[in-house]
Amino acid sequence: MTTPAPLSNPLGEHGAERDRFAGTSLSPDEFKALFRGHPGGVAVITAEGPDGPVALTATSVSSVSAEPPLLIFSVSALSSATPAILAADTVVVHLLDSDDLGVAKLASTSGIDRFADPESWSRLVTGEPVYNGVRAWVRCAIIERMNAGGSTVIAAHALQSGINRDVQPGEHGDALVYHNRSWHRLGDHSRID
């Protein structure tokens, strides 16, 4: 009797798959050019760090499942907020629209105190920092972290949310997107169907 061969891991558990593609990768500039034409919704991630609240702007937030309610996002090792976010058990993901452009810019600016204005943010009863008045926010428990190049992909379970400006089905809602290194508002004028 012949023993069946073990199933291979498509993710390359032992590096075999990665080694097979060594030397055939796109350059960083080629990869950036590819995604410059692919717009992303804008979110801000906040967490409580050992030295106080931290924030960063992300275009990588995506819903994964409605039941259970899961989302993913990635954080770059280059961001000063990343160590605190990676160490946190919970985070707040702010889903922004064009009215929140100031928050998006604030959280993406290096070298400043993103929480200097005490009127712009508050704390949830559970302690996490949340920016006041944003379109929507969701408090999440981090359930998985996966290293991916110079970033970490985080899976999070949605626990609590708040919506200040709801978007009804079929409405444009003045969504904020980042495209080709600039901010854009999606509105009725941008609808093509």
Side-chain angles (χ1 to χ4, degrees), residues 1-2 18 21 33 40 49 70 90 96 99 107 124 126 139 145 149 157 183:
M1 182 167 157
T2 307
R18 268 180 285 154
F21 298 110
L70 302 176
T90 58
L96 308 183
D99 288 344
L124 298 175
T126 48
R139 177 178 166 261
R145 296 165 180 86
H157 186 128
W183 311 98

Side-chain angles (χ1 to χ4, degrees), residues 2-191:
T2 307
T3 304
L7 295 174
S8 65
N9 181 340
L11 297 178
E13 180 178 79
H14 300 292
E17 288 298 310
R18 268 180 285 154
D19 292 346
R20 186 168 70 122
F21 298 110
T24 61
S25 181
L26 291 176
S27 73
D29 287 339
E30 289 170 319
F31 194 70
K32 288 176 186 177
L34 195 65
F35 275 87
R36 264 197 304 274
H38 185 73
V42 181
V44 166
I45 316 295
T46 59
E48 184 62 31
D51 299 322
V54 298
L56 61 79
T57 300
T59 58
S60 59
V61 175
S62 184
S63 65
V64 174
S65 167
E67 196 172 318
L70 302 176
L71 58 89
I72 60 170
F73 60 90
S74 65
V75 292
S76 168
L78 300 176
S79 172
S80 61
T82 294
I85 290 172
L86 292 178
D89 292 327
T90 58
V91 296
V92 177
V93 178
H94 303 72
L95 302 171
L96 308 183
D97 64 15
S98 61
D99 288 344
D100 303 317
L101 179 58
V103 175
K105 288 181 174 182
L106 176 69
S108 65
T109 302
S110 298
I112 63 166
D113 181 355
R114 296 170 180 140
F115 295 91
D117 178 4
E119 301 298 315
S120 69
W121 67 283
S122 57
R123 289 189 185 279
L124 298 175
V125 295
T126 48
E128 298 88 352
V130 62
Y131 284 107
N132 299 328
V134 296
R135 187 191 75 77
W137 57 266
V138 57
R139 177 178 166 261
C140 301
I142 295 177
I143 58 171
E144 290 287 334
R145 296 165 180 86
M146 180 185 80
N147 290 332
S151 295
T152 302
V153 177
I154 296 174
H157 186 128
L159 304 172
Q160 175 188 6
S161 67
I163 299 175
N164 292 308
R165 290 182 298 282
D166 199 3
V167 179
Q168 298 301 316
E171 290 184 2
H172 59 79
D174 291 327
L176 178 63
V177 297
Y178 194 73
H179 177 258
N180 198 14
R181 298 183 175 185
S182 59
W183 311 98
H184 295 266
R185 173 191 295 124
L186 294 183
D188 213 28
H189 69 282
S190 59
R191 175 178 266 172

